Amino acid sequence: MAFEFYKESYSGAVKEVSLGKGDNAVTVGGETCYPFYQFEGEMPHKPKIAMEVWDMKPDEWAEAVLKPFEDVLDDPAAWAKRCVDEYGADMIALELRSTDPNDKDASPEEAAATVKKVLAAINVPLIIWGTASPQKDEEVLKKIAEECQGENLILGPVEDSNHKGIGAAAMGFGHTVISSSPIDVNLAKQVNILLENLGMPMERVIVDPTTGGLGYGMEYSYSVMERLRMAAMAQGDDKLQFPMINNLGFEVWKSKETKLKADEAPTLGDPERRGILMESVGAVSYLMAGSDVLIMRHPEAVRMTKAFIDLGLS
Amino acid sequence: MALTGIQIFKLLPKTNCKECGVPTCLAFAMNLASGKAELDSCPYVSDEAREQLAEASAPPILPVELGNGVRKAAVGGETVLCRHEKTFFNATVFAAAVGSDIADADLETKLRTWNAFQYERVGLNLRPEMVAVKDVSGDKDAFAKVAKTIAETSEFNVILMTENVDVMKAGVEACGFKNPLMCAATADTIDEMGAIAKEKDLPIVVKADSPEALEPLTDKLVALGHKKVILDAGSRDVKQALEDQVAMRRSALKNGNRKLGFPTITFPCEMASSLEMETLIAGMFVAKYGSIVVLSDFTGESIFPLLLERLNIFTDPQRPMTVTEGLYPINNPDENSPILVTTNFALTYFIVSGEIEGSKVPTWLLIKDSEGLSVLTAWAAGKFSGDDVGMFVKKCGIMDKCKSTELIIPGYAAAIAGDVEEELPGWKITVGPREAAHIPAFLKSKIA
Ligand code: B12
Ligand code: SF4
């Protein structure tokens, strides 16, 4: 039998979703092939990198990720602006750490005020990421949706337990939602269906399959993403044809290995570049699994990941 | 590609003699096709039929062994396109390259440095396997010397990278005992290179400028009776190289194309100008079908992330890695030492026990069977509930060994504290830190 390039025939495609508004809007998704498989379809929009900004000063970050932002860690707007102006962030992901009910428990009003400041400082789409405390996230994200009417923020994570409140607010005030579920095809589908039944326009939904860190559960997320894409494209399941987002930097930089100093781990090499490469290799893995938006932390990891995307899609 | 029952039937004697234990040759053929019978049960199959059947039942991508000794590795043998369909079997092998003009002292330093890149994780030793010697000048003595030094003074196995037949001969002469990988034979040299590989029984890379152009080369080797073959489809462009990897894997698995049913080799070292970008490109090949990945160097910060990715991608998705339920004494605990409890997910166990060991505080670690789930996952799935944990503490035997009645539970399992307390009257339940990294400080404060 002689060589013949076996090509997939797809019966579905990923929806295009427009994030942000006006001149700042960015489109993601639209794939008609598996990730980077341009020999049998198209990836009309490059995967995008959103840079991670916290609404309060992080106290446990590795030195490598504090350094580039050391003078703006207290000022989310300035921090976000730096990510866009200096590091070429396609979007900003504001993590509302201060609202964690097990920690500072900041109020929805305080959070909304921060969001407005950040919005005013940047000209790229803004993702708002809660603390995965469903009830608190619902209160906070509803408030933000209302205060930032028409901005097409990207609000999440939205789970089955809080989809009604956040979904309704997103619909009413013109935002996009992040449909989130713990590494499971059926659960992902279920939240999407709940949102659809609520009346959420399906071109305003992106999916968070849950992200595991490199060496800390990445393989589970990787496989569920491959399965989600197969269901969407090979089986044509229209309840799963959404762009995917991964909160990667948060998971990777939480690991011990990104924090060890040179003398604590001499064989793990340069501590700064180790973290950067762990984040970048994690990014490549998630890109190969179908990520459309990667939330990342270190500017150098962002730069290299973008360079990789350009090589893969050139 | 596997044969159907009917295809197998055509190769059987068709006498229906029943000696195989089923009434007809056809029934036997059907059983063979579905893996329910062994060919040896039929005493009458001809040698020729036997050969054809063996051929047909060989894995679609042949496994090939590389090297010798502790870092010997098999590549290939894969049967699926996505890991969730079954599993990936043989993990990507990592190699770093040196030029044949490298100074002795530099080579020694590199080998020593690279040798130290070994990381214990989930009970495994993660480390790279190979060093590639690149012929830079056509000087066969220099090439042979470097190959010999690597083979004799390090655990690393050798890739002999030259397209010059004389240089290759010298390399094979120098380190043949270590089963080196010959890299590479091209259309011009396939006969001579193939003859060496066949004679010394060594694995060999065939290189061409497309998957298709590899076929006549693998044909020649197979005709010689040599099947230890590795494929290099030639492209050093990221996009094209990914396409080639997919084309080859699919051709072997989906079309049953034996001509491309071999492991592959990839060269990030020739695809980027910095080790960092090479590392990202290598990351792509770990996910997408590179059996061997050649880098220009190893540094701790570059190889460690790749080893983690490889561990993740090549873990069997159907069986989470677990440890046995029970009582684990760490740092020689006594009857007053602290007692911690966690789940039996291997990753969780090794992280937590590693931190406890590092703290040097004598401690009892109780491992509760949670079907291999991590703390939060197990809790969410009801496999680490307060009642279960309490009952487990009672029956695990800790009460015979230890007078202490304080149980430290993971910070992420804080929600079970009340239920554990109910199950263990008289015990104090303390919620420990959330991250294992904070365990040492926590334990030290406990005994202070
Ligand atoms: C990988 C993963 C899975 C894998 C399972 C992996 C495994 N073998 O456990 C799969 C895909 C199977 C899975 C399934 C589910 N998952 Co899950 N999963 C994850 C994920 C991404 C990573 C978990 C992991 O491997 N962590 C690494 C290990 C090492 O962490 P760990 O065990 O907690 O140990 C750390 C600490 O706890 C501490 N520690 C451990 N022991 C001890 C002991 C003491 C004394 C102390 C002090 C500290 C300590 O040290 C470790 C390192 O710091 C997380 C999200 C995330 N990003 O973390 C979700 C997550 C845990 N899953 C979640 C859920 C809900 C589920 C499901 C119930 C979903 C469902 N309904 O089907 C199922 C349940 C399983 C089932 N029924 O089969 C939720 C839990 C939500 C919650 N807060 O309750 C999470 C948090 C995701 C989310 N945000 O929704 N999951
Ligand atoms: S033993 Fe062989 S020849 Fe006899 S019935 Fe079975 S398959 Fe046919």
Side-chain angles (χ1 to χ4, degrees):
Chain A
M1 199 179 303
F3 177 73
E4 177 196 339
F5 195 162
Y6 179 97
K7 300 229 169 115
E8 225 24 91
S9 53
Y10 299 103
S11 57
V14 178
K15 290 188 178 61
E16 284 190 329
V17 174
S18 180
L19 308 173
K21 73 161 190 189
D23 291 346
N24 298 346
V26 165
T27 305
V28 296
E31 294 92 335
T32 58
C33 58
Y34 288 153
F36 293 82
Y37 284 18
Q38 289 161 292
F39 42 83
E40 58 190 14
E42 280 174 54
M43 260 178 106
H45 308 290
K46 286 183 182 173
K48 298 293 184 294
I49 313 292
M51 284 184 76
E52 182 183 356
V53 170
W54 280 25
D55 70 340
M56 65 184 235
K57 189 171 182 165
D59 54 2
E60 284 186 356
W61 281 23
E63 195 190 346
V65 266
L66 289 175
K67 193 79 185 160
F69 311 110
E70 61 184 351
D71 52 334
V72 291
L73 292 168
D74 278 323
D75 182 348
W79 181 349
K81 189 167 164 39
R82 172 162 310 163
C83 291
V84 177
D85 294 351
E86 288 182 33
Y87 303 133
D90 298 318
M91 303 178 204
I92 294 297
L94 181 65
E95 307 253 358
L96 299 176
R97 302 310 302 168
S98 75
T99 65
D100 187 347
N102 300 314
D103 195 356
K104 276 177 73 178
D105 203 16
S107 68
E109 289 72 22
E110 289 170 88
T114 312
V115 171
K116 283 190 190 161
K117 279 190 212 144
V118 173
L119 250 183
I122 58 172
N123 57 357
V124 295
L126 180 59
I127 298 164
I128 309 292
W129 201 283
T131 58
S133 316
Q135 214 186 330
K136 181 68 188 281
D137 283 353
E138 181 170 350
E139 290 165 30
V140 172
L141 295 178
K142 270 162 72 177
K143 181 78 189 166
I144 292 171
E146 187 184 339
E147 300 256 326
C148 302
Q149 178 160 12
E151 292 292 344
N152 194 12
L153 299 173
I154 306 95
L155 305 172
V158 177
E159 306 175 22
D160 50 0
S161 65
N162 61 12
H163 80 279
K164 277 196 183 136
I166 305 175
M171 274 191 304
F173 299 111
H175 304 290
T176 295
V177 293
I178 301 169
S179 167
S180 182
S181 49
I183 324 190
D184 186 292
V185 174
N186 294 323
L187 294 177
K189 186 164 171 169
Q190 189 183 322
V191 185
N192 297 343
I193 292 175
L194 287 173
L195 285 165
E196 186 175 30
N197 292 347
L198 191 70
M200 188 77 209
M202 290 293 98
E203 60 288 343
R204 268 164 49 202
V205 174
I206 61 175
V207 161
D208 158 35
T210 298
T211 303
L214 184 68
Y216 293 88
M218 184 271 276
E219 70 273 38
Y220 294 94
S221 305
Y222 180 94
S223 280
V224 93
M225 288 171 72
E226 283 199 327
R227 293 178 55 202
L228 286 167
R229 272 294 141 89
M230 289 176 116
M233 310 196 65
Q235 289 121 43
D237 186 336
D238 68 345
K239 307 291 183 245
L240 293 171
Q241 295 167 338
F242 299 94
M244 294 191 280
I245 182 167
N246 292 98
N247 197 359
L248 174 71
F250 192 91
E251 294 299 327
V252 168
W253 288 96
K254 161 168 114 175
S255 75
K256 177 173 176 170
E257 291 85 358
T258 56
K259 296 180 182 167
L260 291 172
K261 305 228 160 52
D263 57 339
E264 291 169 315
T267 59
L268 286 178
D270 181 81
E272 183 178 20
R273 302 211 306 199
R274 181 203 314 141
I276 292 170
L277 284 170
M278 284 177 69
E279 188 174 19
S280 309
V281 169
V284 169
S285 312
Y286 278 110
L287 287 170
M288 300 323 294
S291 194
D292 292 281
V293 182
L294 284 164
I295 305 180
M296 297 180 65
R297 199 174 274 182
H298 199 288
E300 185 57 14
V302 170
R303 187 189 66 76
M304 288 198 293
T305 303
K306 286 188 152 198
F308 173 80
I309 293 171
D310 289 342
L311 288 173
L313 293 182
S314 59
Chain B
M1 217 185 327
L3 294 185
T4 64
I6 300 295
Q7 285 166 323
I8 297 175
F9 173 66
K10 290 186 181 145
L11 299 169
L12 294 175
K14 304 192 195 72
T15 54
N16 300 337
C17 75
K18 303 187 179 56
E19 280 183 48
C20 56
V22 291
T24 61
C25 293
L26 181 61
F28 183 66
M30 291 301 175
N31 285 348
L32 268 182
S34 59
K36 284 185 230 144
E38 292 287 332
L39 186 58
D40 289 342
S41 309
C42 169
Y44 306 110
V45 234
S46 67
D47 287 349
E48 191 192 334
R50 192 177 291 275
E51 201 170 294
Q52 281 187 43
L53 284 167
E55 179 98 334
S57 60
I61 296 177
L62 292 182
V64 174
E65 288 199 335
L66 305 171
N68 257 326
V70 294
R71 298 203 194 206
K72 174 169 153 179
V75 287
E78 303 302 343
T79 58
V80 290
L81 291 166
C82 293
R83 60 187 290 284
H84 68 258
E85 294 169 66
K86 185 172 174 69
T87 184
F88 290 164
F89 291 100
N90 291 310
T92 307
V93 158
F94 295 116
V98 296
S100 55
D101 57 350
I102 187 170
D104 293 354
D106 292 346
L107 180 58
E108 197 193 320
T109 311
K110 273 196 190 277
L111 291 175
R112 191 162 6 91
T113 312
W114 292 346
N115 184 58
F117 299 146
Q118 307 194 35
Y119 312 99
E120 294 295 328
R121 203 178 177 88
V122 291
L124 303 169
N125 181 334
L126 312 186
R127 60 189 172 192
E129 293 79 6
M130 302 189 92
V131 173
V133 198
K134 253 174 124 161
D135 171 23
V136 293
S137 57
D139 177 345
K140 62 181 196 222
D141 297 331
F143 186 80
K145 186 170 160 219
V146 175
K148 188 170 154 76
T149 305
I150 300 165
E152 288 181 355
T153 68
S154 81
E155 290 175 357
F156 290 104
N157 284 303
V158 185
I159 302 178
L160 297 169
M161 274 177 78
T162 180
E163 291 181 15
N164 177 319
V165 176
D166 289 331
V167 175
M168 184 64 85
K169 272 189 188 145
V172 166
E173 211 51 53
C175 68
F177 72 97
K178 231 172 164 182
N179 189 28
L181 173 62
M182 297 171 56
C183 179
T186 60
D188 293 339
T189 59
I190 185 73
D191 294 321
E192 287 164 287
M193 292 279 197
I196 303 172
K198 168 74 184 161
E199 188 203 330
K200 308 279 183 189
D201 197 24
L202 296 178
I204 180 168
V205 175
V206 288
K207 179 180 176 187
D209 56 12
S210 69
E212 202 165 359
L214 285 168
E215 295 189 337
L217 306 186
T218 63
D219 275 348
K220 281 208 167 164
L221 292 173
V222 171
L224 279 178
H226 193 64
K227 292 188 179 173
K228 298 182 174 181
V229 181
I230 309 278
L231 308 175
D232 174 5
S235 176
R236 300 297 183 256
D237 165 85
V238 172
K239 187 177 164 190
Q240 186 62 44
L242 174 67
E243 176 175 335
D244 292 346
Q245 288 295 324
V246 175
M248 292 189 285
R249 171 74 67 106
R250 284 191 187 162
S251 185
L253 298 189
K254 294 284 195 179
N255 296 335
N257 180 6
R258 294 257 174 231
K259 295 168 194 274
L260 294 178
F262 300 98
T264 65
I265 187 166
T266 62
F267 295 91
C269 60
E270 295 172 8
M271 300 169 74
S273 51
S274 72
L275 181 61
E276 276 87 352
M277 279 312 289
E278 286 179 31
T279 304
L280 272 72
I281 296 168
M284 174 182 86
F285 287 127
V286 171
K288 291 292 170 183
Y289 314 148
S291 312
I292 306 172
V293 166
V294 186
L295 298 149
S296 63
D297 198 357
F298 296 136
T299 61
E301 69 266 21
S302 67
I303 194 64
F304 178 68
L306 289 175
L307 290 167
L308 282 186
E309 184 198 2
R310 172 174 93 173
L311 175 70
N312 279 171
I313 297 287
F314 285 84
T315 294
D316 184 347
Q318 279 143 34
R319 272 186 296 133
M321 291 196 263
T322 59
V323 291
T324 319
E325 175 169 279
L327 188 59
Y328 288 74
I330 303 180
N331 304 328
N332 297 315
D334 62 22
E335 53 178 29
N336 297 312
S337 301
I339 306 169
L340 274 60
V341 64
T342 191
T343 72
N344 77 328
F345 181 36
L347 181 61
T348 304
Y349 164 76
F350 281 103
I351 294 174
V352 172
S353 62
E355 292 297 342
I356 298 175
E357 252 167 65
S359 76
K360 307 223 160 58
V361 178
T363 302
W364 296 100
L365 179 61
L366 310 185
I367 299 295
K368 178 183 174 320
D369 184 355
S370 62
E371 296 173 14
L373 296 176
S374 74
V375 171
L376 259 182
T377 320
W379 176 74
K383 304 273 166 14
F384 198 72
S385 69
D387 304 355
D388 284 358
V389 172
M391 299 227 288
F392 167 65
V393 172
K394 282 187 200 158
K395 67 161 204 225
C396 72
I398 184 69
M399 292 177 179
D400 304 330
K401 306 220 169 196
C402 195
K403 285 197 301 206
S404 160
T405 53
E406 179 183 5
L407 181 68
I408 298 157
I409 61 171
Y412 283 117
I416 68 168
D419 287 346
V420 185
E421 217 154 59
E422 251 172 56
E423 189 66 38
L424 288 175
W427 277 60
K428 178 177 168 202
I429 311 303
T430 301
V431 177
R434 294 180 146 209
E435 294 302 326
H438 297 156
I439 289 179
F442 174 83
L443 285 176
K444 283 177 193 155
S445 74
K446 279 249 112 129
I447 56 163

